[in-house]
Amino acid sequence: MLTGCERDRNKSLCSRFPQFCSDLHSDSWCGKERDQLVEARYENAERPGDASRYMVMNALDSYQRCLEPLLDMQYTKRHERKNTKVETIIDIDAELTRLEASTAGSDYPYLQLWRWERHGDRAARRDFIAGADRPDMQQPPLQKALAGFLLHQDPAGAERAMQRALMLTPANTKPDADLLASLIGLYIRQRQYQQAWLWSQVLSELYDDDMVNWKQMEPYARFTAQERETMVQQAMMLAEQLRKGQYQAN
């Protein structure tokens, strides 16, 4: 039902604002990505700014990636469909290039990440790290990315960023499993085996026991039965706090 509502909304948007849709293909391929792009273009028109421009860029990228593999398919009917998709990809690529140029000096964190990840912009990476305490950096994905940058040069800073990402995770949203795995790996490298084992239990509580390689953890788990029992209880409490969006690092 929700998907149907989104399509109806986007049909309405295309009727009212044909400029959002005129350069997009019209058959069923990549419908989800196309609809997300229409929505992003509308939001950017209504509330222009770096955040909405980033949404458009992200939607353009997803739409383009979805369409590109289809160009190698052989159509048995209506060969013009392939030509339409080629033209669409060319238009999308041009729009993405224009948006990248117009946001090249932006200090919006997601755009800084974009420039680093796609173009290896070291200045963007440096500015992203320098802005760690900014209000708009206080989001789990951004803190996770920050931790990745700091992991080798500043392990303590990486741990703080990971813990902050966990504290920022809203209620009824599981924390990123890769983030938890990175935190466990960091504790192992720092020989904080009790913390590593504890957070392995948290990962197991939140996800599936198969997420943790307990055999690999055994060399580090030299605890008494009482210590293990205490950590299991603590892990259950931490997992519950994370589920409720109430986790606070010590």
Side-chain angles (χ1 to χ4, degrees):
M1 286 180 65
L2 289 175
T3 301
C5 290
E6 288 171 3
R7 286 176 181 166
D8 289 343
R9 170 176 163 78
N10 286 333
K11 284 180 181 178
S12 175
L13 287 177
C14 288
S15 299
R16 291 159 53 204
F17 309 103
Q19 68 271 27
F20 298 152
C21 312
S22 60
D23 60 341
L24 308 181
H25 79 290
S26 58
D27 63 29
S28 60
W29 289 110
C30 302
K32 176 184 175 183
E33 289 77 9
R34 181 184 56 218
D35 290 349
Q36 287 174 342
L37 176 54
V38 173
E39 286 283 342
R41 284 173 166 177
Y42 174 75
E43 290 298 322
N44 186 47
E46 290 290 296
R47 286 172 281 277
D50 284 345
S52 59
R53 279 192 284 270
Y54 170 75
M55 287 176 59
V56 175
M57 289 166 64
N58 211 36
L60 285 166
D61 185 62
S62 296
Y63 183 50
Q64 185 180 50
R65 289 175 185 272
C66 183
L67 282 179
E68 282 177 342
L70 304 179
L71 300 183
D72 295 328
M73 294 177 63
Q74 296 299 315
Y75 291 93
T76 56
K77 296 180 180 178
R78 298 189 63 188
H79 291 273
E80 70 273 11
R81 288 183 181 177
K82 185 170 184 177
N83 292 333
T84 300
K85 290 182 177 64
V86 171
E87 292 168 2
T88 296
I89 286 179
I90 292 171
D91 291 342
I92 292 303
D93 188 61
E95 183 179 358
L96 189 52
T97 299
R98 288 194 300 271
L99 281 169
E100 285 187 327
S102 69
T103 58
S106 171
D107 63 354
Y108 183 60
Y110 284 104
L111 287 170
Q112 291 172 332
L113 272 182
W114 179 285
R115 295 198 297 273
W116 163 251
E117 291 172 350
R118 286 168 174 77
H119 303 292
D121 186 334
R122 291 183 177 275
R125 181 182 186 274
R126 183 189 64 237
D127 293 342
F128 180 86
I129 295 172
D133 295 324
R134 285 170 33 181
D136 57 359
M137 279 286 291
Q138 308 313 303
Q139 300 178 47
L142 295 176
Q143 290 297 315
K144 178 187 174 184
L146 176 64
F149 288 143
L150 298 177
L151 197 55
H152 299 294
Q153 66 188 60
D154 182 6
E159 181 186 355
R160 286 194 298 273
M162 292 181 200
Q163 290 285 354
R164 192 178 301 171
L166 294 174
M167 288 189 286
L168 291 166
T169 301
N172 302 316
T173 302
K174 285 186 180 181
D176 189 290
D178 290 337
L179 173 67
L180 291 171
S182 295
L183 183 63
I184 294 164
L186 176 64
Y187 284 137
I188 290 174
R189 287 192 294 277
Q190 293 180 324
R191 299 185 179 182
Q192 297 185 44
Y193 300 133
Q194 189 166 344
Q195 286 295 314
W197 201 85
L198 171 64
W199 283 97
S200 295
Q201 286 287 339
V202 174
L203 179 59
S204 178
E205 284 286 328
L206 290 170
Y207 285 90
D208 190 283
D209 204 50
D210 292 339
M211 293 284 290
V212 180
N213 187 336
W214 292 110
K215 190 172 182 179
Q216 189 177 6
M217 287 296 297
E218 275 306 312
Y220 312 114
R222 297 173 182 172
F223 314 120
T224 66
Q226 181 60 48
E227 287 172 330
R228 288 194 186 213
E229 179 61 27
T230 299
M231 284 190 287
V232 167
Q233 294 300 317
Q234 187 179 359
M236 292 173 64
M237 179 186 69
L238 292 173
E240 186 63 16
Q241 290 174 352
L242 287 164
R243 289 190 190 99
K244 293 180 177 179
Q246 298 173 349
Y247 173 71
Q248 292 294 320
N250 294 332

